[in-house]
């Protein structure tokens, strides 16, 4: 018993629903947008050997055919070139950073060597200066002893000259 104005139910099996070409196109466009968003969010995953599958327009009857399914990974000569380009683009900044680190380390070592040699030179100069100061003190002490002896001799001579 069917009521008036209600069309009869379609004759498709219960598990399958027909999708129109317009709906299928919208689904594919949404998938492409999602994949593009993923590539923008994770750029390091892009170009790792697998190219993103590009959706093909839907077939005329609205069903995917086995020919419409995209290949998952396209390998070949181009992929090797992209790996080489990626590797060289990664190595150049690494080598640049490595060279800068080597130059900086060399400059630091040269600076330390110059500072050390300056300190050694100053140490030698201080040692020589301290030796000269100690020699001067010894000389001053000898001179003061000689002056005392001369004064004693003068007194003795003056005392002898007074007696005669």
């Amino acid at each position: 018993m069917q009521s008036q104005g209600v069309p009869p139910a379609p004759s498709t099996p219960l598990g399958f629903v027909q999708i129109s070409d317009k709906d299928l196109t919208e689904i594919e466009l949404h998938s492409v947008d999602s994949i593009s968003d993923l590539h923008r969010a994770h750029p390091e995953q892009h170009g790792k050997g697998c190219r993103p599958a590009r959706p093909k327009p839907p077939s005329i009857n609205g069903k995917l055919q086995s020919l419409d399914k995209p290949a998952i990974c396209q390998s070949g000569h181009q992929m090797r070139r992209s790996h080489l380009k990626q590797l060289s683009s990664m190595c150049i900044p690494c080598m640049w950073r490595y060279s800068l680190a080597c130059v900086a380390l060399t400059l630091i070592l040269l600076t330390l060597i110059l500072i050390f040699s300056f300190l050694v030179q100053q140490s030698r100069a201080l040692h020589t200066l301290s030796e000269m100061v100690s020699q001067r003190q010894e000389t001053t002490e000898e001179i003061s002893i000689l002056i005392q002896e001369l004064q004693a001799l003068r007194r003795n001579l003056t005392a002898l000259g007074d007696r005669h």
Side-chain angles (χ1 to χ4, degrees):
M1 299 191 126
Q2 291 186 0
S3 56
Q4 296 175 354
V6 176
S11 63
T12 59
L14 285 178
F16 297 98
V17 178
Q18 280 191 344
I19 300 173
S20 69
D21 288 343
K22 182 180 176 184
D23 291 339
L24 191 57
T25 303
E26 286 182 25
I27 291 170
E28 287 177 344
L29 288 175
H30 181 69
S31 299
V32 169
D33 289 341
S34 298
I35 290 171
S36 297
D37 290 342
L38 280 174
H39 285 298
R40 276 192 293 272
H42 303 287
E44 69 276 356
Q45 297 296 325
H46 185 63
K48 293 282 186 188
C50 293
R51 293 183 181 169
R54 295 187 178 197
K56 295 182 180 179
S59 60
I60 297 170
N61 62 3
K63 296 180 182 178
L64 284 176
Q65 298 176 358
S66 62
L67 296 176
D68 291 341
K69 294 179 183 176
I72 294 174
C73 185
Q74 299 174 358
S75 61
H77 194 30
Q78 285 291 73
M79 187 173 69
R80 286 187 210 118
R81 279 188 185 168
S82 67
H83 281 310
L84 288 175
K85 283 183 182 179
Q86 254 185 339
L87 185 61
S88 66
S89 68
M90 284 172 28
C91 286
I92 288 173
C94 290
M95 289 175 63
W96 178 249
R97 278 185 253 142
Y98 178 74
S99 330
L100 282 178
C102 287
V103 167
L105 188 61
T106 304
L107 287 175
I108 289 171
L109 286 175
L110 284 174
T111 305
L112 288 175
I113 289 171
L114 285 174
I115 290 171
F116 183 72
S117 64
F118 178 75
L119 290 175
V120 167
Q121 183 182 11
Q122 293 301 314
S123 171
R124 287 182 186 156
L126 283 174
H127 187 270
T128 305
L129 189 61
S130 66
E131 283 181 7
M132 290 175 68
V133 167
S134 66
Q135 285 177 357
R136 188 168 181 176
Q137 285 176 346
E138 289 174 4
T139 307
T140 305
E141 288 174 6
E142 286 178 10
I143 290 175
S144 67
I145 292 172
L146 286 175
I147 289 175
Q148 288 174 359
E149 287 179 2
L150 280 174
Q151 287 174 348
L153 282 174
R154 185 180 239 178
R155 273 185 255 133
N156 288 340
L157 282 176
T158 309
L160 279 177
D162 288 342
R163 285 189 204 169
H164 288 287

